[in-house]
Amino acid sequence: MKKLLLASSIIAALFSQAAFATQTIKANVNGMVCAFCAQGIEKKMRALSQTKDVYVNLKQRIVAVELKDGQTLSNDTVKDLIKDAGYEVTSIEISSHPIEHIKAEMESK
């Protein structure tokens, strides 16, 4: 019985951590050609209540938005914000890596 209770506790702890794993939305964006472009997108993304951190890489044309724990943000919302700012999203993906990891990966290219 004790083993079953211990196993149940471990499984519950793992699932609760998985529910709050880092979620970062990474978009490839066409049309960003200057620092002002990147700054405008970053400002729009930071204004969202779900946003924990934002990273914009002008050279790689990447916008990454890390969400606060337990928060969600649809891909369509991200696409619409970027489109409203005057840019085109060519692809979008969800990553379990924090911004710092994505930043290090992009800057090593």
Side-chain angles (χ1 to χ4, degrees):
M1 182 68 170
K2 287 182 181 179
K3 288 181 182 180
L4 180 61
L5 187 58
L6 178 61
S8 297
S9 297
I10 291 170
I11 290 170
L14 289 173
F15 278 117
S16 68
Q17 287 178 350
F20 295 110
T22 299
Q23 184 177 7
T24 303
I25 299 171
K26 188 171 131 182
N28 290 309
V29 180
N30 274 343
M32 291 192 306
V33 294
C34 66
F36 183 74
C37 301
Q39 201 174 36
I41 291 175
E42 182 176 353
K43 184 177 179 180
K44 282 188 173 284
M45 294 300 168
R46 284 195 187 278
L48 298 171
S49 63
Q50 301 95 324
T51 300
K52 178 178 178 180
D53 199 5
V54 178
Y55 169 67
V56 180
N57 183 305
L58 192 57
K59 183 178 176 185
Q60 300 290 332
R61 293 181 283 185
I62 297 290
V63 175
V65 181
E66 184 176 340
L67 304 179
K68 294 176 183 173
D69 290 343
Q71 296 291 308
T72 60
L73 186 63
S74 73
N75 290 354
D76 287 339
T77 300
V78 173
K79 287 179 185 179
D80 289 345
L81 281 170
I82 293 171
K83 184 179 177 183
D84 288 347
Y87 309 99
E88 176 190 12
V89 175
T90 57
S91 68
I92 196 163
E93 65 183 79
I94 305 297
S95 172
S96 60
H97 297 294
I99 289 283
E100 290 305 316
H101 180 272
I102 293 169
K103 184 177 180 179
E105 180 185 8
M106 290 295 114
E107 291 180 358
S108 70
K109 290 183 178 184

